[in-house]
């Protein structure tokens, strides 16, 4: 999976207010989906070659001297944000729900192996798209890989901890606890980078702390192991960032988003194999009966495809709208996925816990609005 699945995973990254990436600029992001988001710098608009190959760029539709072209151009610009936003929300929600189904409904106890399979799917698809000339991928070299390895170690830890937290905790509580990433990031920015937040941001973070504590206390399906994994995930997600130094070792002097997706997933494969052997998941894989079910592979493959789709749809949506709309939609997107998780998986719920979840979702939206101001 890429970092965008993590935003995928649940805590989408909110770009700084007024932020607009320049062409060829490397943007850091956590994320984390959501797939991957989660409070690093944000996402960069996808390369011009990708839009030309897929016709996603509204500005490229129609000819400026043709009357019909003008009408098509205007229609494309109006429907572009709606279509891209809907695609982003569907892929983000679908990824989380399918991962939960694989890990909990099928009781699949090999989260690292699932991560490895999804990484492999992403690599194969990006490589195929690059071979067909649909996307542009930066040529990788050993110096670039060496710079990226420390980042990728954190990235793998983020994916693994996210997988296991999702296995043991219901989706709504994972969403609320994910707010802890915002708090850790803000504190880190204050003490490391001396970046001060406004009063609204600190108020929103205080509300998120209250919601997380009250949510944990009132959680009828509380699992200490799951909460431990999620706390670990918050710290790893907050610390995950893409090194600007990496662009010095690329041919063009920058590393586009597609190359970041491919590089992250490629480096995950050897780490995944090592972790599978260390944790003994290989023995579980060859003995479990769940892998003999065709529907299991359908769901697992679909989750991998949606995880990669988050990378493309998030960049498409950001290109069609802007950081402000993107961050707000990402925050609002947590609401339907939380309630879908409660209903689909029949989570035992008390009235206090329900209000804690609502309070946490409100705090997340308030935080997004505060960051915009």
């Amino acid at each position: 999976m890429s970092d965008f699945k993590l935003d995928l995973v649940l805590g989408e990254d909110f770009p700084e207010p007024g932020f607009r990436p320049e062409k060829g600029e490397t943007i850091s992001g956590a994320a984390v989906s959501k797939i991957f988001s989660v409070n690093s710098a944000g996402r960069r608009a996808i390369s011009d070659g990708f839009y030309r190959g897929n016709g996603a760029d509204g500005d490229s539709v129609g000819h400026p001297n043709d009357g019909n072209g003008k009408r098509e151009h205007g229609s494309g610009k109006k429907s572009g944000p709606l279509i891209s936003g809907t695609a982003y929300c569907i892929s983000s929600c679908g990824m989380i729900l399918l991962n939960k189904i694989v890990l909990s409904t099928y009781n699949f106890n090999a989260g690292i192996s699932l991560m490895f399979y999804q990484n492999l799917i992403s690599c194969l698809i990006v490589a195929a798209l690059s071979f067909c000339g649909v996307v542009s991928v930066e040529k990788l070299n050993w110096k670039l890989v060496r710079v990226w390895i420390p980042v990728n170690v954190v990235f793998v830890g983020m994916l693994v901890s996210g997988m296991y937290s999702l296995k043991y905790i219901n989706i709504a509580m994972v969403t609320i606890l994910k707010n802890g990433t915002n708090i850790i990031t803000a504190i880190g920015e204050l003490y490391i980078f001396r970046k001060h937040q406004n009063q609204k941001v600190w108020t929103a973070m205080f509300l998120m702390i209250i919601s997380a504590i009250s949510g944990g206390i009132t959680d009828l399906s509380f699992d200490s192991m799951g909460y431990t994994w999620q706390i670990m995930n918050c710290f790893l997600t907050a610390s995950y960032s893409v090194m600007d130094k990496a662009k010095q070792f690329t041919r063009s002097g920058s590393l586009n988003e597609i190359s970041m997706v491919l590089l992250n997933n490629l480096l995950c494969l050897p780490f995944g194999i090592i972790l599978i052997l260390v944790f003994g998941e290989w023995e579980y894989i060859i003995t479990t009966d769940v892998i003999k079910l065709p529907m299991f592979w359908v769901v697992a493959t679909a989750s991998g495809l949606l995880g990669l789709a988050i990378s493309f749809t998030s960049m498409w949506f950001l290109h069609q709208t802007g950081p402000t709309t993107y961050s707000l939609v990402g925050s609002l997107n947590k609401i339907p996925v939380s309630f879908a998780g409660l209903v689909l998986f029949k989570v035992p719920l008390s009235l206090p816990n329900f209000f804690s979840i609502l309070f946490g979702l409100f705090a997340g939206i308030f935080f997004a609005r505060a960051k915009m101001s």
Side-chain angles (χ1 to χ4, degrees), residues 236-271:
L236 289 169
T237 302
S239 63
Y240 178 76
S241 61
V242 180
M243 294 182 178
D244 288 336
K245 184 180 177 182
K247 66 183 180 181
Q248 301 173 11
F249 300 101
T250 62
R251 183 177 55 190
S252 66
S254 64
L255 192 65
N256 62 36
E257 287 286 0
I258 306 300
S259 301
M260 283 159 55
V261 170
L262 180 60
L263 181 58
N264 259 337
N265 285 281
L266 275 176
L267 291 180
C268 280
L269 296 181
F271 284 119

Side-chain angles (χ1 to χ4, degrees), residues 160-234:
V160 173
S161 58
M163 285 284 189
Y164 280 106
S165 67
L166 197 59
K167 176 176 175 58
Y168 295 109
I169 313 177
N170 67 74
I171 292 175
M173 281 309 304
V174 169
T175 303
I176 302 307
L177 295 175
K178 258 296 189 190
N179 287 334
T181 304
N182 299 327
I183 300 169
I184 297 169
T185 302
I187 294 174
E189 287 178 342
L190 177 63
Y191 287 98
I192 298 175
F193 302 106
R194 303 299 178 186
K195 181 180 179 181
H196 296 273
Q197 306 290 347
N198 61 44
Q199 189 175 0
K200 290 182 179 179
V201 172
W202 289 113
T203 302
M205 287 192 287
F206 176 75
L207 295 177
M208 288 189 289
I209 293 173
I210 298 299
S211 69
I213 294 174
S214 61
I217 293 174
T218 58
D219 188 4
L220 298 181
S221 56
F222 179 87
D223 189 294
S224 58
M225 180 64 71
Y227 274 69
T228 302
W229 279 112
Q230 185 52 51
I231 292 172
M232 187 186 305
N233 179 261
C234 288

Side-chain angles (χ1 to χ4, degrees), residues 122-144:
S122 296
C123 289
L124 293 176
I125 293 177
V126 173
L129 292 175
S130 176
F131 180 79
C132 296
V134 177
V135 298
S136 174
V137 177
E138 183 71 45
K139 185 177 181 180
L140 307 180
N141 55 61
W142 172 242
K143 288 184 178 180
L144 176 62

Side-chain angles (χ1 to χ4, degrees), residues 30-222:
V32 76
S33 328
K34 271 239 289 304
I35 181 141
F36 47 20
S37 156
V38 184
N39 309 310
S40 296
R43 307 183 197 272
R44 176 183 178 270
I46 198 166
S47 64
D48 295 336
F50 174 75
Y51 285 109
R52 284 196 297 269
N54 292 276
D57 189 349
D59 295 338
S60 65
V61 180
H63 193 281
N65 296 324
D66 181 54
N68 294 328
K70 285 182 180 179
R71 287 192 294 271
E72 186 178 347
H73 173 84
S75 175
K77 290 198 71 173
K78 289 179 180 179
S79 61
L82 179 62
I83 296 173
S84 59
T86 302
Y88 166 66
C89 290
I90 292 175
S91 59
S92 179
C93 293
M95 168 71 179
I96 298 165
L97 294 173
L98 288 180
N99 271 349
K100 183 67 176 177
I101 291 173
V102 172
L103 296 168
S104 297
T105 304
Y106 284 98
N107 198 28
F108 187 64
N109 296 317
I112 300 172
S113 300
L114 177 60
M115 178 201 74
F116 177 84
Y117 181 62
Q118 292 176 339
N119 292 146
L120 184 61
I121 290 175
S122 296
C123 289
L124 293 176
I125 293 177
V126 173
L129 292 175
S130 176
F131 180 79
C132 296
V134 177
V135 298
S136 174
V137 177
E138 183 71 45
K139 185 177 181 180
L140 307 180
N141 55 61
W142 172 242
K143 288 184 178 180
L144 176 62
V145 170
R146 204 167 47 183
V147 170
W148 213 272
I149 285 178
V151 180
N152 196 256
V153 170
V154 178
F155 177 67
V156 171
M158 184 173 66
L159 293 183
V160 173
S161 58
M163 285 284 189
Y164 280 106
S165 67
L166 197 59
K167 176 176 175 58
Y168 295 109
I169 313 177
N170 67 74
I171 292 175
M173 281 309 304
V174 169
T175 303
I176 302 307
L177 295 175
K178 258 296 189 190
N179 287 334
T181 304
N182 299 327
I183 300 169
I184 297 169
T185 302
I187 294 174
E189 287 178 342
L190 177 63
Y191 287 98
I192 298 175
F193 302 106
R194 303 299 178 186
K195 181 180 179 181
H196 296 273
Q197 306 290 347
N198 61 44
Q199 189 175 0
K200 290 182 179 179
V201 172
W202 289 113
T203 302
M205 287 192 287
F206 176 75
L207 295 177
M208 288 189 289
I209 293 173
I210 298 299
S211 69
I213 294 174
S214 61
I217 293 174
T218 58
D219 188 4
L220 298 181
S221 56
F222 179 87

Side-chain angles (χ1 to χ4, degrees), residues 6 12 61 73 85 128 149 157 166 174 216 238 273 303-304 317 334 343-344:
L6 307 218
E12 282 76 14
V61 180
H73 173 84
I149 285 178
L166 197 59
V174 169
I273 293 174
S303 69
F317 184 42
K334 295 178 181 179
V343 174
L344 293 177

